[in-house]
Amino acid sequence: MPEEKKQTDATPQLTRRNFLAWGGGALSILAIVEIAGASLLFLAPRSLEGEFGGVVTAGSVDNFPQGTVTEFPDGRFFLVRTEDGGFLALYRRCTHLGCAVSWEPTRNRFFCPCHASNFDFFGNVENPPAPRALDIFPVEINDGQVLVDTSRPQTRDAFAPEQLVYG
Ligand code: FES
């Protein structure tokens, strides 16, 4: 008489259903871990020192000749040094709709490529549609270094001498 093969419950079998259930569970756990990790990275405080949103050390006062404009692309500003040695940090964001302005040294002006506004050396509007002067960032001179705080843009209607900072 042939021996009948019987399956007992004591020996677990990997069925297709079991495999799919375990695999699906493992993938779900992996997805949750990845999402949690990405969320923590996103929420973790990070220093913005030296880049836009933080305090940028522009360099020594002596690096900026009087009557010049120096662009800081990473900080999104232009550092203007006036003929009498004052400093002004102009936010490069156009006050019309926010395009980035560029400095045109041959024309001594800032120009917005989007709708052709332009601004003078101090950021005053020379040609609309921009409604007001370029915003400025606070400047501080510390130990002969020019520091620009790009976390606090300040709006203004026009340039005023009190906006200049001297070393
Ligand atoms: S965004 Fe600069 S002129 Fe419109």
Side-chain angles (χ1 to χ4, degrees):
M1 186 170 175
E3 196 173 305
E4 212 174 276
K5 281 191 171 178
K6 278 196 171 180
Q7 204 172 333
T8 64
D9 288 341
T11 55
Q13 282 248 318
L14 183 62
T15 64
R16 180 183 294 192
R17 180 173 294 180
N18 284 347
F19 176 77
L20 289 176
W22 281 94
L27 285 176
S28 298
I29 290 170
L30 186 63
I32 289 168
V33 168
E34 279 188 28
I35 290 169
S39 301
L40 284 176
L41 278 179
F42 179 76
L43 294 173
R46 84 186 176 106
S47 169
L48 293 172
E49 192 166 322
E51 62 184 87
F52 180 74
V55 175
V56 175
T57 302
S60 168
V61 167
D62 300 332
N63 290 350
F64 305 102
Q66 295 174 348
T68 59
V69 173
T70 307
E71 183 173 10
F72 287 80
D74 292 344
R76 303 183 196 175
F77 67 89
F78 296 91
L79 188 64
V80 170
R81 188 156 197 209
T82 58
E83 291 294 347
D84 69 350
F87 285 97
L88 191 64
L90 301 177
Y91 192 2
R92 75 174 182 195
R93 186 178 182 276
C94 179
T95 53
H96 179 222
L97 293 177
C99 293
V101 302
S102 59
W103 170 243
E104 296 183 336
T106 54
R107 299 178 128 179
N108 207 35
R109 70 174 191 179
F110 296 93
F111 178 72
C112 180
C114 291
H115 311 99
S117 284
N118 55 60
F119 307 83
D120 70 12
F121 182 78
F122 298 97
N124 288 315
V125 177
E126 280 188 327
N127 186 51
R132 56 185 168 76
L134 294 172
D135 296 342
I136 56 175
F137 292 120
V139 174
E140 190 184 317
I141 313 281
N142 196 344
D143 262 349
Q145 296 290 311
V146 183
L147 308 175
V148 178
D149 184 354
T150 62
S151 71
R152 295 187 293 134
Q154 298 171 345
T155 60
R156 60 189 183 146
D157 290 327
F159 169 72
E162 310 84 71
Q163 295 162 2
L164 293 172
V165 175
Y166 295 87

